[in-house]
Amino acid sequence: MTSHSLFRFLFWILLTGLFFIRMYFNFLARKAGQALMPDDKAIRREGRGLFAIRFASSFLLGAIFLIYAFDPVWLIKFTIPLPTWLRWAGFIIGLASLVFLAWTQATLGKYFSPQLRLQKGHQLVTTGPYARIRHPLYSSLFGIGVAFALVTANWLFVLLAVLVIVGLIARVPREEKMMLDEFGDSYRDYMLRTGRFFPR
């Protein structure tokens, strides 16, 4: 197996893991009667502009993955000459990030929503990864984005990682405002003892 084939294989391992984790927890949320699609209130809370950018970015994400799947010759122009050990480090970061993502989603349980929306009877989750980090789900997605960029050694995936990270960082203040409006001082105290994306 050539180096190119090996890292494409590792890429598909990470992508398959991400797909099954997200589908599994989306299935559980839907089974619990939660709405996964955004309503007007969730869109207004996020901001129509930011929501539109995130929606458009999802198509760009899909396009980049499709391009990589078909492996056209012109894709070689975007190759980054990374050392093999760094690409393997990317794969390890990706595996660790997938485990962290699964742990985070399992901890959130029925309170998970891909939209800026609180569930009926929502409780503030402060256990598991949330004991030290306010947004561990985003942290795991940062890691996965970096992992794809390193494993593929391709500028298109660097662009994708940057878009994901910038988009999630832009979303956080609106999410924290939603939590402050709902939980008040309890969330303020929680903010004081946790880091936003990494432990204090």
Side-chain angles (χ1 to χ4, degrees), residues 33 43 50 70 80 83 91 133:
I43 293 171
L50 187 58
F70 287 105
I80 308 168
F91 180 66
I133 306 172

Side-chain angles (χ1 to χ4, degrees), residues 44-64:
R44 279 188 281 110
R45 185 178 281 143
E46 184 169 354
R48 294 189 186 280
L50 187 58
F51 178 82
I53 291 169
R54 187 165 64 88
F55 184 75
S57 296
S58 67
F59 286 98
L60 178 61
L61 182 149
I64 290 174

Side-chain angles (χ1 to χ4, degrees), residues 70-91:
F70 287 105
D71 196 22
V73 174
W74 61 261
L75 197 62
I76 296 170
K77 292 188 297 186
F78 297 99
T79 299
I80 308 168
L82 296 181
T84 301
W85 68 265
L86 187 55
R87 297 180 76 179
W88 273 107
F91 180 66

Side-chain angles (χ1 to χ4, degrees), residues 26-156:
N26 282 347
F27 168 76
L28 292 183
R30 195 183 301 275
K31 190 176 177 183
Q34 297 165 18
L36 298 180
M37 299 305 292
D39 56 17
D40 192 59
K41 186 177 180 181
I43 293 171
R44 279 188 281 110
R45 185 178 281 143
E46 184 169 354
R48 294 189 186 280
L50 187 58
F51 178 82
I53 291 169
R54 187 165 64 88
F55 184 75
S57 296
S58 67
F59 286 98
L60 178 61
L61 182 149
I64 290 174
F65 280 111
L66 276 175
I67 290 167
Y68 192 78
F70 287 105
D71 196 22
V73 174
W74 61 261
L75 197 62
I76 296 170
K77 292 188 297 186
F78 297 99
T79 299
I80 308 168
L82 296 181
T84 301
W85 68 265
L86 187 55
R87 297 180 76 179
W88 273 107
F91 180 66
I92 293 167
I93 290 168
L95 290 179
S97 298
L98 288 176
V99 170
F100 193 58
L101 174 64
W103 182 31
T104 299
Q105 295 247 212
T107 302
L108 265 181
K110 65 181 180 179
Y111 300 125
F112 166 71
S113 173
Q115 312 303 330
L116 291 189
R117 176 194 294 128
L118 295 172
Q119 308 297 349
K120 186 176 180 180
H122 202 104
Q123 300 293 313
L124 180 60
V125 177
T126 59
T127 58
Y130 287 92
R132 304 285 302 280
I133 306 172
R134 292 196 298 283
H135 303 282
L137 194 144
Y138 294 170
S139 302
S140 66
L141 294 177
F142 293 169
I144 291 166
V146 169
F148 280 134
L150 293 176
V151 169
T152 61
N154 191 286
W155 283 113
L156 287 180

Side-chain angles (χ1 to χ4, degrees), residues 176-191:
E176 291 190 341
K177 182 182 183 305
M178 175 184 75
M179 300 299 282
L180 284 166
D181 289 345
E182 179 69 18
F183 297 108
D185 289 339
S186 295
Y187 196 75
R188 286 187 186 88
D189 292 342
Y190 175 65
M191 292 175 78

